[in-house]
Amino acid sequence: MKKYDHKKIEKKWQKEWIDKGIYKTEDTSKKNSFYILDMFPYPSGSGLHVGHPKGYIATDVYSRMQRMKGFNVLHPMGWDAFGLPAEQFAIKNKVHPRIAVEKNVARYKEQLQMIGLDYDWSREVNTTDPEYYKWTQWTFLKMYEKGLAFESDEPINWCDDCKTGLAQEDLEDGACERCGNPVIKKPLRQWVLKITDYADRMLEDLEDLNWPEYIKESQRNWIGRSEGAEITFKIKDSDLSLDVFTTRPDTLFGATYMVVAPEHSMLTELKSSIENWSEIETYAKDSVNKTEIERTAEGKEKSGVQLIGIKAINPANNEEIPVWVADYVLPQYGTGAIMAVPAHDQRDFEFAQKYKIPIIMVVCTHYPAHSCPVLEEAYPGKGHLVFSGKFDGMESDKAKDKIIKFVNGKKKVNYKLRDWVFSRQRYWGEPIPLIHCEKCGVVPVPEKDLPVRLPDVENYEPTNTGESPLTSIDEWVNVSCPSCDGPGTRETNTMPQWAGSNWYYLRYIDPQNKDALIDSKKEKKFMPVDVYVGGVEHATRHLIYARFWHKFLYDIKVVSDKEPFMELHNQGLILAEDGRKMSKRWDNTVSPDDMIERFGADAFRTYEMFMGPFENAISWNTDGMVGTRRFIDKIWKLQDKIVEEENTSIDAILHTTIQKVEGDIQSFKFNTAISAMMILANTLEDAVSLSKKQFELFLRILAPFAPYVTEELWHEIGNKESIHVNEWPSYDTKKMKVDQVTVVLQVNGKVRSSIEVTAGRKESEIRELALSDEVIEKWIDGKEIKKFIYVKDKIVNVVV
RNA sequence: GCCGGAGUGAUGAAAUUGGUAAACAUGCGCGACUCAAAAUCGCGUGCCGCAAGGCUUGUGGGUUCAAGUCCCACCUCCGGCACCA
């Protein structure tokens, strides 16, 4: 037996696999295709730590099994290299982002190859490649054509550190998700995508996806659909009126005041009629200048100012009610104004208590109500209407539609989801392919002129002027208008980090296509993605955006499925040994290079899959690598046990393990698949011998996890072709049958003894054996047997 | 507050339809080999107890011959949403 030298073996097979192209995906294969995808990384400067490849190893194991099962497997990899992380790295290290990306990509690729991942590198994509982002720009133009991309001057979230506008999805608790800086509202010209047009479809189609429930639930929360009505209140002595959105039109009779957001246009429109204008103006300005965090701080007491001289008319009962401005009403949701029903909404209740506004209960749990109770808090539930004119006594749910009709309101659905702010005032992103012309307005760059290339610049640092650094490159900015040939200027905002990742999974299928985003025959062959694996942090970011983008491509008939990703798995984080997140900052990162050098890639891969359930966050433990390395060594030594004749005594466990490993891989239970193979290895170690055929069965189910050592052994015992293109073994249920079983004997539910019997014995025989067992005899001695329970080949319970 | 998920040895964890709780692995202890160490191999390792035996899956109750698994109540932790009208 040769010595197991992992370094030598790994080097040899890496080269051989590439030379022979065994992982190449065929465009024209007659086999069924299987598409398994990793969320592609942005190549950071620090390289991979051991946490990064966990998901990649999982898809690798899965894809290798599928290939052996005869599928034409597509398992690609690429780089999401535009965006702030890459740009900030570049600024910090004083290199051009393009150079930094090139360098980092090379490093990442090298590390991934060491691990032995079976990517088809001929399909590699990079979002910063002009041939790639040409089609990102193309899709944007299609959206623009359909009216889904529009220009807006609404105040948006602005990060003063990153010096760019942000989308709702880029925030975390009111702060910039990247740098943690609290965001402020800033009026800014920007490009916005109408993702809200797709809200309902994104909600509905979630049903058909085989995704973890918590991800679907996150998306439902994020989209935040709520059904209600829009109701108009007239302003007394004025032509103006105030529209509000409410989910509780049944409580309309209890609306005792109204509130508008500080940003509401009504304020300036009523300026001359408001007696305390200066006070109102000060309040509104103060709130607008607050950060999102200050404004929504938890437990903050509500504040507001009444618009003196202004009254609104409640359309239900024609009562005059006051109008207030208060920052607890959000400008961007509904109409930016509410009818306040303090008896049935806790926020309104608190506000009304503070400012001594009447609280009228209009929904009661008991009807008829003899008196209106003094409320301690708002009652948000259902009941029967009271103090509601002709609707008295009606069930609140049933009253909703009737009251909407009564006041000429209209049913309306609102979403928490905001339209997608799609422009960034930064350099390192896809240029938005539009031209501004004095005469023609906004003119799309003609398709034949795509891509609009990102120009090289001297200084790519952000400007903080609300414009991108591209603005200062005159020779790039100034162009002639494609429509009138007059003077025009390019749009200088760039696309957000997420733009390129919206559709990269399509490009892998047809990476070299110069004439179309994707060839539709190839699209139909591979899409949708069968299994998608990535981090949970993308639940309401990438996974929302990509579904939206895909649905748009479906609408314009570029793709043929409504959804891009059928099955989704999230890998749990690998934490550092100290329990914290692995980070350069804490100096607690572990490099896969070191682990592979010391223990070998096979032991490394096996350990990452063995650590625990795939979706769990687990601390790294280098000691644990010893265990999987011992396992690999054990496998290596088994080659010495090979003899001519079959050892039928190991057939049962061998075939049971084949079945288990296959099922476990399919359900992403890699840890138990490995433990089953460890049990098999331990058994074979103790067995007297095994045949070459039997050893090959084992090698083939282990091959997806440990591709190097299995390949080496496969050849060592005389095979010529790669094990990785060999057939996945099928298990033989006949051979899985065992003839000796252990039947556990319980008395009153407590285990007292056990007997070894041949499988499939009759209950009467077992009863006789059990009751004559020495230990059992002692426990039932002299007692009456009330019940005798026998579960076949498993357990006996004697109740006395 | 609403919604989703989870609580099992020293540690990561396992437990098809309710049927031997702790498989597998690490760690630890003892032993073999060795001048010694590493590596390797063997034995042991939930808790209490000398033993017989008893106890044990967050807590309390229930159903059942039998509960980590089913039902009810509660506690704790993780995640999502959140002045969203």
Side-chain angles (χ1 to χ4, degrees):
Chain A
M1 187 177 67
K2 284 197 300 197
K3 197 176 159 284
Y4 169 49
D5 179 348
H6 65 259
K7 287 184 206 166
K8 214 168 127 193
I9 291 175
E10 286 165 20
K11 223 172 166 181
K12 169 170 127 195
W13 292 115
Q14 261 167 38
K15 187 174 177 298
E16 179 100 3
W17 293 334
I18 289 172
D19 289 350
K20 294 223 166 119
I22 63 167
Y23 304 133
K24 278 234 163 30
T25 311
E26 299 289 332
D27 282 336
T28 52
S29 168
K30 285 209 172 65
K31 297 176 188 171
N32 284 330
S33 54
F34 187 85
Y35 191 176
I36 182 162
L37 179 67
D38 297 291
M39 290 185 190
F40 65 165
Y42 82 85
S44 84
S46 27
L48 297 171
H49 61 61
V50 291
H52 292 119
K54 182 174 167 186
Y56 309 153
I57 295 169
T59 55
D60 194 65
V61 169
Y62 203 130
S63 69
R64 284 175 182 276
M65 178 178 78
Q66 293 298 87
R67 185 176 299 107
M68 290 172 81
K69 281 185 168 180
F71 287 95
N72 180 35
V73 171
L74 176 55
H75 184 219
M77 185 41 89
W79 318 103
D80 188 16
F82 266 139
L84 275 181
E87 185 176 319
Q88 280 164 341
F89 174 84
I91 289 172
K92 205 175 136 204
N93 295 284
K94 302 208 169 10
V95 278
H96 192 280
R98 190 170 35 75
I99 308 291
V101 164
E102 268 171 33
K103 224 177 115 190
N104 297 347
V105 161
R107 170 86 184 108
Y108 263 58
K109 210 169 153 176
E110 183 193 9
Q111 285 188 297
L112 294 180
Q113 279 173 332
M114 252 196 298
I115 297 167
L117 302 170
D118 67 356
Y119 296 121
D120 177 354
W121 288 105
S122 68
R123 291 168 182 270
E124 179 179 355
V125 302
N126 185 325
T127 55
T128 65
D129 177 356
E131 285 308 310
Y132 179 89
Y133 67 69
K134 172 180 176 179
W135 299 102
T136 315
Q137 292 175 335
W138 179 87
T139 313
F140 177 86
L141 286 182
K142 290 288 166 197
M143 287 190 178
Y144 179 77
E145 239 171 64
K146 304 275 175 196
L148 284 167
F150 63 96
E151 213 171 4
S152 160
D153 288 303
E154 292 290 298
I156 58 161
N157 297 305
W158 174 268
C159 174
D160 248 341
D161 259 20
C162 297
K163 299 181 176 58
T164 183
L166 297 170
Q168 183 198 17
E169 286 80 8
D170 298 322
L171 308 186
E172 209 168 284
D173 298 324
C176 172
E177 190 256 336
R178 260 217 70 70
C179 67
N181 189 43
V183 297
I184 51 166
K185 291 278 179 198
K186 182 164 175 165
L188 199 68
R189 184 189 66 83
Q190 79 227 236
W191 285 94
V192 180
L193 300 184
K194 252 189 176 165
I195 191 170
T196 51
D197 273 13
Y198 285 76
D200 265 332
R201 286 165 63 188
M202 297 211 308
L203 214 47
E204 276 167 32
D205 294 343
L206 273 178
E207 300 306 317
D208 306 325
L209 299 180
N210 184 9
W211 287 19
E213 190 49 42
Y214 61 91
I215 299 280
K216 292 207 225 177
E217 196 57 28
S218 293
Q219 292 212 346
R220 284 186 204 109
N221 283 340
W222 190 258
I223 294 167
R225 184 181 201 272
S226 64
E227 280 178 36
E230 217 163 89
I231 292 172
T232 304
F233 286 62
K234 287 207 166 72
I235 302 296
K236 194 192 170 194
D237 303 327
S238 158
D239 297 334
L240 296 172
S241 59
L242 191 51
D243 291 334
V244 299
F245 173 74
T246 177
T247 54
R248 294 298 302 275
D250 50 316
T251 63
L252 182 56
F253 284 84
T256 53
Y257 66 100
M258 302 189 79
V259 187
V260 297
E263 290 85 348
H264 202 282
S265 60
M266 163 123 329
L267 292 174
T268 45
E269 286 164 25
L270 283 169
K271 183 176 173 181
S272 55
S273 321
I274 299 174
E275 289 166 24
N276 56 339
W277 172 247
S278 70
E279 204 188 336
I280 299 290
E281 196 181 21
T282 310
Y283 180 84
K285 269 193 184 149
D286 280 357
S287 341
V288 172
N289 286 335
K290 278 182 190 164
T291 66
E292 198 71 15
I293 291 175
E294 288 168 331
R295 208 166 143 170
T296 60
E298 204 174 335
K300 195 193 85 171
E301 201 179 310
K302 296 192 175 19
S303 70
V305 185
Q306 188 182 349
L307 276 55
I308 308 287
I310 305 295
K311 291 280 181 192
I313 313 284
N314 185 334
N317 52 17
N318 290 318
E319 298 263 348
E320 289 180 13
I321 55 174
V323 180
W324 290 65
V325 58
D327 65 3
Y328 81 91
V329 170
L330 307 173
Q332 72 274 20
Y333 187 76
T335 63
I338 62 159
M339 64 177 218
V341 186
H344 303 293
D345 181 284
Q346 187 58 25
R347 295 154 299 179
D348 299 346
F349 184 85
E350 283 164 23
F351 193 83
Q353 264 195 330
K354 180 172 174 185
Y355 293 107
K356 309 266 183 296
I357 302 169
I359 299 170
I360 301 173
M361 195 170 185
V362 290
V363 176
C364 259
T365 42
H366 301 289
Y367 185 82
H370 296 293
S371 62
C372 190
V374 178
L375 292 170
E376 296 280 325
E377 55 181 12
Y379 170 67
K382 298 173 186 182
H384 292 270
L385 297 202
V386 292
F387 300 111
S388 296
K390 64 174 183 178
F391 299 99
D392 277 4
M394 197 178 282
E395 277 175 46
S396 53
D397 274 350
K398 287 180 182 157
K400 282 184 176 170
D401 282 0
K402 297 219 156 70
I403 291 182
I404 295 170
K405 222 173 162 189
F406 176 60
V407 297
N408 286 319
K410 51 179 190 283
K411 284 193 167 187
K412 177 110 205 223
V413 176
N414 254 313
Y415 302 94
K416 286 188 207 165
L417 181 72
R418 306 260 63 85
D419 278 329
W420 184 6
V421 174
F422 200 66
S423 38
R424 298 290 179 274
Q425 292 69 46
R426 302 284 304 216
Y427 167 69
W428 191 237
E430 301 87 343
I432 292 179
L434 296 171
I435 290 164
H436 298 271
C437 167
E438 273 174 45
K439 253 200 284 179
C440 315
V442 174
V443 181
V445 171
E447 206 178 311
K448 66 172 174 52
D449 295 340
L450 294 180
V452 175
R453 283 168 190 267
L454 185 64
D456 266 334
V457 290
E458 292 286 307
N459 188 6
Y460 43 85
E461 301 210 12
T463 62
N464 206 23
T465 57
E467 295 290 341
S468 89
L470 293 175
T471 317
S472 59
I473 313 172
D474 293 341
E475 63 275 25
W476 184 79
V477 171
N478 296 315
V479 286
S480 53
C481 168
S483 172
C484 72
D485 228 21
T489 56
R490 283 192 193 281
E491 171 62 57
T492 55
N493 281 332
T494 53
M495 296 188 195
Q497 195 189 333
W498 307 103
S501 58
N502 282 322
W503 67 280
Y504 71 109
Y505 52 89
L506 293 171
R507 195 63 180 175
Y508 288 133
I509 294 171
D510 195 8
Q512 314 298 341
N513 200 326
K514 290 208 184 298
D515 308 315
L517 191 152
I518 186 169
D519 172 78
S520 90
K521 254 195 207 141
K522 291 183 188 170
E523 189 273 333
K524 284 192 180 73
K525 187 169 175 59
F526 288 101
M527 285 299 289
V529 172
D530 294 287
V531 176
Y532 194 26
V533 175
V536 66
E537 68 276 13
H538 294 111
T540 56
R541 296 192 174 104
H542 160 64
L543 287 172
I544 289 263
Y545 291 145
R547 291 182 63 218
F548 156 63
W549 202 270
H550 194 84
K551 284 183 185 304
F552 172 73
L553 292 175
Y554 173 79
D555 288 349
I556 62 168
K557 303 198 160 45
V558 172
V559 299
S560 49
D561 301 287
K562 288 186 199 164
E563 287 287 336
F565 317 120
M566 294 322 286
E567 184 177 324
L568 177 73
H569 295 272
N570 294 115
Q571 79 269 24
L573 277 183
I574 292 182
L575 303 167
E577 292 196 70
D578 59 13
R580 291 184 294 191
K581 243 178 136 163
M582 256 187 213
S583 156
K584 252 192 154 173
R585 203 170 118 214
W586 305 116
D587 193 28
N588 57 7
T589 59
V590 179
S591 151
D593 308 34
D594 291 350
M595 294 299 114
I596 290 170
E597 160 95 25
R598 281 173 61 190
F599 301 98
D602 289 322
F604 173 71
R605 293 166 56 105
T606 309
Y607 176 62
E608 293 230 338
M609 293 299 97
F610 182 63
M611 284 178 83
F614 182 63
E615 61 283 359
N616 281 20
I618 301 168
S619 291
W620 180 262
N621 180 10
T622 301
D623 282 342
M625 291 273 316
V626 172
T628 48
R629 171 59 196 236
R630 282 180 189 149
F631 169 61
I632 300 290
D633 284 335
K634 232 173 255 184
I635 305 290
W636 183 259
K637 286 181 199 147
L638 284 178
Q639 58 180 308
D640 268 4
K641 294 213 163 200
I642 297 175
V643 295
E644 279 294 316
E645 61 280 7
E646 304 256 309
N647 176 355
T648 52
S649 72
I650 59 170
D651 273 346
I653 187 167
L654 187 54
H655 285 263
T656 311
T657 308
I658 293 170
Q659 184 188 34
K660 175 147 181 75
V661 169
E662 180 175 342
D664 280 355
I665 292 176
Q666 238 147 27
S667 43
F668 268 65
K669 284 159 46 178
F670 306 106
N671 54 331
T672 48
I674 292 165
S675 105
M677 288 188 288
M678 283 173 168
I679 293 170
L680 177 59
N682 293 345
T683 310
L684 296 183
E685 195 186 25
D686 294 339
V688 280
S689 69
L690 74 167
S691 71
K692 178 172 170 243
K693 241 180 168 171
Q694 287 173 319
F695 190 44
E696 283 178 349
L697 286 176
F698 191 6
L699 287 181
R700 281 187 281 158
I701 57 170
L702 179 62
F705 294 88
Y708 293 111
V709 73
T710 49
E711 183 81 308
E712 179 70 16
L713 287 167
W714 184 253
H715 284 76
E716 198 64 17
I717 58 177
N719 292 289
K720 294 278 174 283
E721 289 251 307
S722 169
I723 189 171
H724 302 298
V725 293
N726 206 278
E727 238 173 89
W728 183 259
S730 49
Y731 51 87
D732 185 341
T733 36
K734 269 181 258 148
K735 289 190 174 161
M736 282 160 61
K737 290 216 175 77
V738 283
D739 30 71
Q740 280 296 111
V741 291
T742 307
V743 173
V744 173
L745 307 180
Q746 295 183 331
V747 177
N748 285 346
K750 289 204 174 8
V751 179
R752 297 302 179 189
S753 183
S754 66
I755 46 173
E756 293 283 324
V757 295
T758 49
R761 299 282 283 273
K762 282 194 203 125
E763 176 166 346
S764 54
E765 293 175 308
I766 294 292
R767 185 181 172 121
E768 203 174 307
L769 282 168
L771 296 181
S772 58
D773 181 90
E774 223 175 275
V775 185
I776 296 302
E777 261 181 343
K778 198 180 85 195
W779 282 96
I780 59 175
D781 179 41
K783 294 181 186 120
E784 181 199 349
I785 293 170
K786 287 190 187 144
K787 233 175 192 178
F788 184 90
I789 287 143
Y790 175 54
V791 180
K792 203 176 168 199
D793 292 347
K794 269 195 178 151
I795 202 162
V796 161
N797 191 7
V798 187
V799 185
V800 293

